[in-house]
Amino acid sequence: SGELRVVRIKAEELRDALAAPVAALVNAVRTVLEDSPAELSADIAQNGIVLSGGVALLTGLAGLLTRELRLPVAVAKDPLTAVVAGCGASLERLDLLRALHLEARASIRRVEPLAAH
């Protein structure tokens, strides 16, 4: 009918529905960590990962990532605004941001596009 309605679902049903997307998230984080430069990997191993954004509010995700990745994982104090606060802080340090940008550009590999078949 297109009308809104309230439906009760069990926590188990919600866990089942989220199992595949959460597994994909864990695998994506694992892939990023495996592809990270050694110095960044060492920093992450020492300091861990901080979750931000709406996904950080998913109960148990930090613990799951800690178990699966064997790394410390924490949730930001205010995960919904953490990214914006970080962007604001980085804008206050434009000199550092410019230096990081130049360093990143210097380390990017040039990849030739694939030839058309």
Side-chain angles (χ1 to χ4, degrees):
S1 69
E3 291 184 35
L4 295 178
R5 61 184 178 162
V6 175
V7 177
R8 291 192 180 268
I9 60 171
K10 296 178 182 177
E12 183 178 318
E13 293 171 314
L14 186 57
R15 268 193 303 276
D16 290 345
L18 291 175
V22 168
L25 175 67
V26 171
N27 287 331
V29 173
R30 183 177 285 120
T31 298
V32 168
L33 292 172
E34 289 169 354
D35 293 345
S36 295
E39 61 274 6
L40 180 57
S41 295
D43 186 49
I44 293 170
Q46 180 178 352
N47 298 309
I49 297 170
V50 178
L51 299 178
S52 64
V55 74
L57 300 176
L58 192 58
T59 302
L61 181 61
L64 175 67
L65 287 168
T66 296
R67 285 189 307 278
E68 291 291 321
L69 303 173
R70 295 183 176 92
L71 291 169
V73 179
V75 176
K77 262 187 191 176
D78 187 3
L80 296 179
T81 62
V83 173
V84 173
C87 289
S90 67
L91 289 175
E92 291 174 359
R93 292 293 314 271
L94 282 177
D95 57 324
L96 181 59
L97 197 57
R98 282 190 189 98
L100 289 172
H101 174 72
L102 292 174
E103 184 179 318
R105 285 188 70 193
S107 67
I108 294 175
R109 290 184 293 141
R110 296 282 178 211
V111 178
E112 295 299 320
L114 294 174
H117 295 296

